Amino acid sequence: MTLPLEGVRIVAVEQYGAGPFGTQHLADLGAEVIKVENPAEGGEVGRSVGPYFFEPGDSHFYQSFNRNKKSITLDLKNPHDKGVLVDLIKGADALFDNLRGDLPVKLGLTYEQLKAHNPKLVCAHLSAYGREGSRKAWPGYDYLMQAEAGYLSLTGEPDGPPARFGISIIDMMTGTTAALALVSALVGARATGIGRDIDVSLYDVAMHNLSYLATWYLNEGVMTERAPRSAHPSLTPSQLYRTADGWIFLMCNKEKFWAVLANLIGKPEWTTDPRYCNFKARLQNRERLTEELDAVLMTASTEQWLERFGGQVPAAPVNDVAQALDSSFAREQGLIVEMQHPARGPVQTVACPIRCPGETLPSEPAPRLGADTEALLVELARAKGRLESFTGVK
């Protein structure tokens, strides 16, 4: 057996979060991902994002987005180095970038500019606002997208200030979407022999994620707002509830779960109570139901309720990050993997969420700056019979 993307070569002009997150998925699945980094800038910016570092130029942040990749140092504004990039893409399946929308064409990274060298090449572009339109030259980041796309109006308690997600959810979803786009275009290129440009932007993904809330507004004029206890906008019970020692999140998003819950908490009569007998009735009486459920659930601890509900009612503890990572179930699922870092030794990280039964995914640390430059230059030189011009070696 082999990994799904074994034999695929991707040249990545990438930095920071969204782009490297997407190509890390591809590297985890066996693709050879070659990061192009400018040595004059100390490599990609993620290397300097602190406050935690394994060694100079190698931050915890950088390691979180770049495992299983290679690194080559090239200044794409330098004609010689640009020529090396062209030689790389001649034997590559895809060229990926997450640059500002106006930069790919300025740097010569589009399909139209490169197809003469490799007609099958896929050029995948991830930008803030796209490569066309009035904002193509605008920089942009995750939190800005959350703000503009309405996420902050949906997150937090109704009487609190606007609140963002606690993680860079748009970066990660856009990176994942870009990985899907690249692989989809690659399938097409292999079928037709013709590559293409394919585009993903932070803004487009942020807006697309509005999903059913967008459909409600666009067709019915319904504007979804924040609900108490992080509640689902239309289904209940589907929110936070108090327990004897903290909180529990219940999600009875099918009617069958409501009946099971009512019986397990000793309130079978609620299944026929006209105030609570169906989704519509419970939504109309959500505030009262919250009070009554709190009263019942506060008679036992979160752990005790989870033991009672386990496998029957969708429920989860409300963990902090440490509790989430230290949980026995996360370990059981193999979600924490160990890498051997050249300076630190054993380093733990979160595993790829894609599973390939029968295969163990690679788990190599992110490369040091330019770690693979010499080997790649030698490879290219041998392929073209120009070893001396690249390395000075006769």
Side-chain angles (χ1 to χ4, degrees), residues 207-263:
M207 293 293 288
H208 182 260
N209 288 346
L210 292 176
S211 187
Y212 61 93
L213 304 185
T215 304
W216 289 349
Y217 174 75
L218 293 171
N219 295 282
E220 305 298 337
V222 174
M223 188 175 77
T224 303
E225 298 177 339
R226 288 178 285 181
R229 303 276 189 94
S230 298
H232 190 283
S234 61
L235 303 177
T236 192
S238 188
Q239 64 180 65
L240 288 165
Y241 294 96
R242 292 187 181 277
T243 65
D245 62 348
W247 298 90
I248 192 170
F249 211 113
L250 301 180
M251 294 191 71
C252 295
N253 287 20
K254 292 183 179 179
E255 284 288 8
K256 69 176 184 179
F257 292 129
W258 169 243
V260 176
L261 174 66
N263 279 284

Side-chain angles (χ1 to χ4, degrees), residues 105-345:
V105 69
K106 291 181 180 179
L107 292 172
L109 304 181
T110 68
Y111 180 71
E112 186 64 30
Q113 293 165 306
L114 294 171
K115 66 180 181 181
H117 304 291
N118 183 351
K120 295 182 179 181
L121 185 69
V122 168
C123 295
H125 312 283
L126 189 163
S127 59
Y129 297 101
R131 292 189 302 120
E132 304 292 338
S134 60
R135 295 191 189 179
K136 66 181 182 181
W138 285 26
Y141 293 98
D142 182 293
Y143 298 172
L144 304 179
M145 306 304 162
Q146 290 192 40
E148 186 166 2
Y151 291 33
L152 276 68
S153 74
L154 298 166
T155 309
E157 290 298 306
D159 56 352
R164 65 169 177 84
F165 276 60
I167 58 174
S168 298
I169 191 67
I170 304 303
D171 274 352
M172 295 173 185
M173 293 201 70
T174 305
T176 302
T177 303
L180 169 63
L182 187 154
V183 171
S184 299
L186 184 58
V187 170
R190 290 190 168 184
T192 65
I194 301 173
R196 67 170 71 225
D197 289 300
I198 196 157
D199 284 85
V200 174
S201 77
L202 298 176
Y203 178 75
D204 288 357
V205 170
M207 293 293 288
H208 182 260
N209 288 346
L210 292 176
S211 187
Y212 61 93
L213 304 185
T215 304
W216 289 349
Y217 174 75
L218 293 171
N219 295 282
E220 305 298 337
V222 174
M223 188 175 77
T224 303
E225 298 177 339
R226 288 178 285 181
R229 303 276 189 94
S230 298
H232 190 283
S234 61
L235 303 177
T236 192
S238 188
Q239 64 180 65
L240 288 165
Y241 294 96
R242 292 187 181 277
T243 65
D245 62 348
W247 298 90
I248 192 170
F249 211 113
L250 301 180
M251 294 191 71
C252 295
N253 287 20
K254 292 183 179 179
E255 284 288 8
K256 69 176 184 179
F257 292 129
W258 169 243
V260 176
L261 174 66
N263 279 284
L264 287 176
I265 64 174
K267 296 290 184 180
E269 66 274 14
W270 282 359
T271 60
T272 55
D273 188 319
R275 300 170 303 167
Y276 306 144
C277 62
N278 56 43
F279 278 131
K280 183 178 181 180
R282 292 194 295 276
L283 186 62
Q284 291 174 342
N285 294 283
R286 177 155 61 187
E287 186 173 344
R288 178 169 183 150
L289 178 58
T290 296
E291 294 176 357
E292 295 213 53
L293 276 170
D294 275 355
V296 174
L297 295 170
M298 288 177 70
T299 61
S301 69
T302 298
E303 183 177 357
Q304 289 170 324
W305 286 119
L306 289 171
E307 288 176 358
R308 188 178 301 186
F309 297 154
Q312 300 182 76
V313 176
V318 181
N319 290 334
D320 58 27
V321 173
Q323 290 170 324
L325 293 171
D326 290 339
S327 79
S328 58
F329 186 64
R331 302 284 170 165
E332 174 192 323
Q333 292 293 98
L335 291 177
I336 311 300
V337 296
E338 189 173 281
M339 306 182 298
Q340 288 297 317
H341 188 276
R344 179 70 175 265

Side-chain angles (χ1 to χ4, degrees), residues 41-163:
E41 297 175 354
E44 76 130 286
V45 67
R47 292 179 178 275
S48 62
V49 175
Y52 308 108
F53 295 85
F54 292 114
E55 60 181 332
D58 186 2
S59 70
H60 290 60
F61 183 94
Y62 167 73
Q63 285 290 335
S64 299
F65 293 93
N66 292 287
R67 67 172 170 244
N68 297 321
K69 300 180 185 180
K70 295 180 177 179
S71 171
I72 185 171
T73 50
L74 298 173
D75 179 354
L76 298 185
K77 295 180 181 178
N78 176 294
H80 174 271
D81 285 10
K82 181 62 181 296
V84 174
L85 178 74
V86 169
D87 285 341
L88 270 176
I89 64 99
K90 288 177 181 178
D93 296 282
L95 174 64
F96 175 87
D97 72 78
N98 70 314
L99 301 169
R100 203 177 65 205
D102 62 326
L103 290 180
V105 69
K106 291 181 180 179
L107 292 172
L109 304 181
T110 68
Y111 180 71
E112 186 64 30
Q113 293 165 306
L114 294 171
K115 66 180 181 181
H117 304 291
N118 183 351
K120 295 182 179 181
L121 185 69
V122 168
C123 295
H125 312 283
L126 189 163
S127 59
Y129 297 101
R131 292 189 302 120
E132 304 292 338
S134 60
R135 295 191 189 179
K136 66 181 182 181
W138 285 26
Y141 293 98
D142 182 293
Y143 298 172
L144 304 179
M145 306 304 162
Q146 290 192 40
E148 186 166 2
Y151 291 33
L152 276 68
S153 74
L154 298 166
T155 309
E157 290 298 306
D159 56 352

